[in-house]
Amino acid sequence: RSVAEAQKRKFYAKRFRGKKAPKLRVGSWVRNKTSLSGKPMLIKFFATWCGVCRRSITPLNKLQKELGSSIRIVAISDESEAHIKQFMSSSVKFSGCRDNDGKTFKKYGIEGVFPHFVMVSKSGYVRSEGPMPIHDYSALKKRIKKYV
């Protein structure tokens, strides 16, 4: 299915497109701590048991390598720090953190459908949300480059 078709289906998160993004509250950094301001940011809400989340590592690593100077990629989970550390092995090149108290997941209304992506502009507004074409790197990169 296309991203457009997927976005027409039931949305398992609150919608913020065109609005100020809720603050990303990091409880603890698990991998590659980064600043949460100053650049556009792609937020990936994930679960360690999610196969699509695992498959998204390679294209996100590639994005980090190619666009890392102009974007921040941050993956966030509300699972245990041990599970997140295991999931985000040394092969992960982007940032990863834990939502210790669940407040970020709650603010964004994440309801267990993963991964959920949110593209936030440098000025802090949500530009895109929902599924990303991680199976098609050129489409993914093209979509992200619109916002950086």
Side-chain angles (χ1 to χ4, degrees), residues 40-43 60 63 67 70-73 117-119 128 132-133 137-148:
M41 182 168 43
L42 177 62
I43 305 168
L60 292 179
L63 268 180
L67 303 175
S70 58
I71 187 172
R72 300 192 196 292
I73 301 172
F117 292 94
V118 178
M119 184 69 217
S128 177
M132 287 280 181
Y137 181 73
S138 61
L140 174 65
K141 185 176 177 181
K142 182 178 179 181
R143 184 162 173 195
I144 296 303
K145 283 185 83 171
K146 289 192 306 189
Y147 306 108
V148 296

Side-chain angles (χ1 to χ4, degrees), residues 25-62:
R25 293 175 44 117
V26 173
S28 56
W29 287 97
V30 178
R31 185 114 186 105
N32 304 324
K33 182 178 179 178
T34 190
S35 169
L36 298 175
S37 62
K39 292 183 182 180
M41 182 168 43
L42 177 62
I43 305 168
K44 171 189 164 185
F45 290 91
F46 77 98
T48 60
W49 48 262
C50 167
V52 176
C53 298
R54 190 167 304 282
R55 288 189 299 277
S56 72
I57 291 172
T58 299
L60 292 179
N61 277 345
K62 194 170 178 182

